Amino acid sequence: MGKLTTPDWILKGGKKPTKKKEKGTFKIRKCPKCGSDEVQVVLTGEEGKGTGEWECKKCKWVGRNIVMDEVSEEEFMKYLDEKGEEVA
């Protein structure tokens, strides 16, 4: 194992480079049981202290392991068109 070297950004006195997320990335949340996108967060207990649980309006599933798909802006617009949502 060789010696470690100091990164250039430290030697130049700059800020640490950050990895930027791809612009136009959207998340679609789906139920793991039925695949429906009609899911909502469960609000219980004190304000500001959520349980982190989700509920499916279609099949009444409740849990934490929600499926999240990341799609591009183009795929998201196609998804909304197929669903019949009006886009402003």
Side-chain angles (χ1 to χ4, degrees):
M1 191 153 137
K3 290 175 67 177
L4 295 176
T5 59
T6 305
D8 288 336
W9 64 269
I10 292 177
L11 296 173
K12 293 178 183 176
K15 293 184 179 179
K16 182 177 180 180
T18 58
K19 293 183 180 179
K20 291 185 179 181
K21 277 190 149 183
E22 188 178 314
K23 189 176 181 181
T25 303
F26 296 87
K27 294 180 182 176
I28 300 173
R29 293 170 178 88
K30 294 184 179 181
C31 173
K33 187 175 179 183
C34 69
S36 170
D37 64 344
E38 296 179 28
V39 292
Q40 63 187 14
V41 71
V42 177
L43 299 175
T44 57
E46 284 186 51
E47 186 176 337
K49 294 185 179 181
T51 60
E53 288 190 339
W54 292 84
E55 176 184 28
C56 177
K57 290 182 174 182
K58 194 171 182 181
C59 70
K60 304 301 180 196
W61 169 86
V62 176
R64 292 180 177 223
N65 56 339
I66 192 108
V67 176
M68 287 185 42
D69 293 334
E70 286 194 18
V71 296
S72 67
E73 184 175 3
E74 186 177 308
E75 292 171 322
F76 187 67
M77 296 304 276
K78 183 180 176 186
Y79 164 77
L80 290 178
D81 285 342
E82 289 172 357
K83 189 175 174 189
E85 293 287 326
E86 190 167 320
V87 181

